[in-house]
C-alpha cells in the first residue's frame, strides 16, 4: 500500500559524493594530519564511501592534490602590493611565507610531489615583476625569486620538523648537544646555550626576508633607504618609480638565513661574500 511520506535511502547506501566534498575532506586531513596520512583509502573512510567512488571525480592522488592546492589559492584574498619594487618584493615574500606557515602541508606537497596550483603563481609573477622593475634581467629575477623561495621552504621545513620532534620527545637532540658545550671549546655557543631553543623559535622571518632582498637587489642598483619592520608593507601607490642606476655596495647585507639560527653578523657576512666591501 503506497504512502505519502518521503522515501528513505536504502540501509548502508553510501552518501553521494561531490568533488567539493572530496576536496574539503582532503584539505581537513592535510591540515590536521599532514601529507603522509592522506591516501585515497583514508579519504574514502573519512567520507564514508568506497575508494573506487573517488576515482569518478579525480584520476589519482596527484590530481587530487593539485585540485586542493588550486582551491586554496582561489580562496585567498590577495592584497594590493606596494608599487615601489623593493617594498613590493619584501611584501610579496612575507605574504608568501605567512600563507605557507598557516598551511605547512602545502610545503610538503610542493617539495615532495613537485605539484602546483596555477592560481598560486600570481604571487610568483609579482616577485619576478618587482625584481625586473628594480632593474634585473628576467634570468636574474628568477634567481632572486628562487633564493627567497629556498629560504622560505627551508625555514618552514625546519620549524615544522622541530615542532613535531619536540611534541614527541619533549626536546630536540640539537638542544641537548648544544647544552653540553663548554666555553673551553665553543665559547660563543656556550654563551647562549641556555637560550638556544628560544632563539631558534623566534619568528624573525620578516627581518630575514628584508635582509635577503637587500642582499639580492643592490647587486647592481642602489636600494631604497632601510625601513623598520613595521614599514616593510606600505600602502599601495598609483605609479611605480623609475629605475635606479647607481651602485652602492655598502647596502649589501646578505642575511645568513639559510642556516639554523642564531645568525652571524650581516656586515661580516657581506664582506666575506662581496669583495667590493673588503677594501
Amino acid at each position: 500500500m503506497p504512502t505519502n511520506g518521503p522515501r528513505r535511502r536504502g540501509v548502508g547506501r553510501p552518501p553521494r559524493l561531490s568533488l567539493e566534498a572530496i576536496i574539503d575532506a582532503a584539505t581537513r586531513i592535510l591540515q590536521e594530519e599532514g601529507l603522509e596520512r592522506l591516501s585515497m583509502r583514508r579519504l574514502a573512510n573519512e567520507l564514508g564511501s568506497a575508494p573506487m567512488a573517488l576515482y569518478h571525480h579525480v584520476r589519482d592522488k596527484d590530481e587530487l592534490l593539485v585540485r586542493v592546492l588550486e582551491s586554496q589559492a582561489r580562496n585567498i584574498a590577495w592584497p594590493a602590493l606596494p608599487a615601489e619594487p623593493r617594498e613590493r618584493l619584501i611584501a610579496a615574500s612575507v605574504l608568501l611565507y605567512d600563507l605557507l606557515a598557516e598551511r605547512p602541508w602545502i610545503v610538503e606537497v610542493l617539495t615532495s610531489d613537485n605539484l602546483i596550483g596555477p592560481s598560486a603563481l600570481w604571487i610568483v609573477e609579482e616577485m619576478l615583476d618587482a625584481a625586473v622593475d628594480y632593474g634585473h634581467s628576467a634570468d636574474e629575477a628568477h634567481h632572486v625569486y628562487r633564493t627567497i623561495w629556498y629560504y622560505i621552504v627551508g625555514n618552514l621545513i625546519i620549524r615544522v620538523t622541530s615542532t613535531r620532534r619536540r611534541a614527541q620527545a619533549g626536546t630536540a637532540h640539537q638542544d641537548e648537544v648544544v647544552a653540553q658545550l663548554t666555553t673551553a671549546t665553543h665559547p660563543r655557543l656556550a654563551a647562549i646555550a641556555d637560550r638556544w631553543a628560544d632563539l631558534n623559535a623566534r619568528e624573525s622571518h620578516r627581518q630575514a626576508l628584508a635582509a635577503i632582498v637587500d642582499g639580492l637587489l643592490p647587486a647592481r642598483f642602489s636600494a631604497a633607504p632601510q625601513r623598520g619592520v613595521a614599514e616593510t608593507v606600505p600602502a599601495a601607490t598609483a605609479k611605480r618609480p623609475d629605475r635606479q642606476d647607481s651602485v652602492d655596495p655598502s647596502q649589501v647585507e646578505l642575511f645568513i638565513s639559510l642556516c639554523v639560527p642564531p645568525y652571524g653578523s650581516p656586515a661580516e657576512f657581506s664582506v666575506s661574500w662581496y669583495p667590493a666591501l673588503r677594501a
Side-chain angles (χ1 to χ4, degrees):
M1 181 173 170
T3 63
N4 295 326
R7 299 179 61 182
R8 294 184 178 181
R9 180 178 292 174
V11 176
R13 184 178 177 181
R16 186 173 182 177
L17 291 178
S18 67
L19 180 59
E20 183 180 1
I22 292 172
I23 292 174
D24 289 345
T27 302
R28 286 196 303 272
I29 295 173
L30 288 165
Q31 187 69 30
E32 297 172 6
E33 303 177 31
L35 177 62
E36 62 182 11
R37 296 298 301 274
L38 177 66
S39 66
M40 301 303 275
R41 183 174 297 278
R42 168 75 179 82
L43 181 58
N45 289 338
E46 178 79 8
L47 293 165
S49 178
M52 289 304 298
L54 302 179
Y55 294 102
H56 292 292
H57 300 274
V58 291
R59 181 178 61 254
D60 51 26
K61 183 179 176 181
D62 279 356
E63 182 181 340
L64 171 64
L65 289 172
V66 169
R67 288 185 176 274
V68 172
L69 290 172
E70 186 67 6
S71 173
Q72 290 287 303
R74 284 200 303 265
N75 290 328
I76 293 173
W78 301 107
L81 297 176
E84 196 280 319
R86 172 186 177 270
E87 301 295 346
R88 182 161 23 116
L89 184 56
I90 292 174
S93 301
V94 172
L95 175 62
L96 179 58
Y97 183 101
D98 290 341
L99 290 173
L100 292 176
E102 295 173 358
R103 305 164 179 82
W105 58 268
I106 293 182
V107 176
E108 296 182 89
V109 173
L110 296 178
T111 56
S112 63
D113 293 308
N114 198 31
L115 304 173
I116 187 68
S119 294
L121 293 177
W122 171 87
I123 197 166
V124 179
E125 176 70 14
E126 289 289 341
M127 295 170 73
L128 293 173
D129 187 61
V132 170
D133 277 1
Y134 197 88
H136 286 304
S137 68
D139 287 0
E140 291 167 339
H142 178 267
H143 169 70
V144 169
Y145 158 71
R146 293 297 291 182
T147 301
I148 294 170
W149 170 247
Y150 285 142
Y151 164 77
I152 291 175
V153 170
N155 183 291
L156 289 175
I157 287 177
I158 290 173
R159 287 188 176 279
V160 170
T161 303
S162 298
T163 299
R164 288 177 180 172
R165 287 177 178 172
R166 284 187 172 86
Q168 296 171 354
T171 185
H173 176 69
Q174 184 184 111
D175 299 343
E176 297 174 354
V177 171
V178 172
Q180 296 173 5
L181 298 178
T182 67
T183 56
T185 57
H186 301 81
R188 301 300 185 189
L189 284 169
I192 57 174
D194 60 335
R195 295 180 290 116
W196 183 260
D198 291 336
L199 290 172
N200 285 343
R202 286 183 179 177
E203 283 291 351
S204 58
H205 65 278
R206 291 175 179 268
Q207 296 94 320
L209 287 168
I212 290 173
V213 168
D214 284 341
L216 292 167
L217 292 186
R220 289 168 51 192
F221 300 87
S222 78
Q226 296 291 333
R227 305 185 182 212
V229 174
E231 300 176 336
T232 57
V233 187
T237 56
K239 183 179 179 181
R240 295 175 181 173
D242 295 331
R243 292 183 180 178
Q244 304 175 47
D245 297 316
S246 60
V247 178
D248 185 3
S250 65
Q251 295 291 325
V252 180
E253 292 186 355
L254 181 56
F255 198 83
I256 313 177
S257 302
L258 302 178
C259 303
V260 178
Y263 308 107
S265 165
E268 295 174 358
F269 189 76
S270 298
V271 171
S272 64
W273 282 84
Y274 198 86
L277 298 182
R278 295 179 183 171

